Amino acid sequence: MASISFIKDVENKILIRKIVGEINANETIESFQTIVDILKDGFDAVGIVNDITEGELNIHISEIPKIASFLKKNIDVFRDKKLAACVASPSSITIPMLMASQITKINIKAFSTLDAAYTWVLSYE
């Protein structure tokens, strides 16, 4: 079970989801629901940095459509946001990349460093 925390970087308008430990598909959806709640509650973020550098994605490829479906149902919340996933292991980068290919209306990108993730979220591309 993962430890998941949410940090509001008010200055840069970034919401950070920090994951420590192993996270499964259901926990991923539950934590995305928390992000939806935070954003609908008035936090004006330009993007979300998912810091998984101390975590491990225990998500099978067959579960990706379930997560994608949740994000698509909340497209109004995520459409104008950048979602950066920062992972430590090369094997974990596959999940965010597959998510990005299934949800083209949400800007999702995977990174291996937090600096690169922040730079991309704050860029105007």
Side-chain angles (χ1 to χ4, degrees), residues 28-96:
T28 299
I29 292 170
E30 289 170 12
S31 65
F32 271 125
Q33 180 60 58
T34 301
I35 290 171
V36 168
D37 295 343
I38 291 169
L39 295 174
K40 284 187 172 182
D41 196 38
F43 183 64
D44 184 27
V46 295
I48 296 107
V49 172
N50 297 281
D51 179 358
I52 316 166
T53 55
E54 296 179 47
E56 185 65 35
L57 298 174
N58 183 16
I59 300 169
H60 190 271
I61 292 171
S62 66
E63 297 174 301
I64 290 175
K66 180 176 161 182
I67 299 167
S69 175
F70 176 84
L71 293 173
K72 286 176 186 176
K73 279 194 268 184
N74 290 282
I75 192 72
D76 59 315
V77 175
F78 295 109
R79 177 180 288 117
D80 298 328
K81 312 282 185 247
K82 291 182 178 179
L83 273 69
C86 188
V87 296
S89 69
S91 61
S92 292
I93 208 160
T94 307
I95 300 298

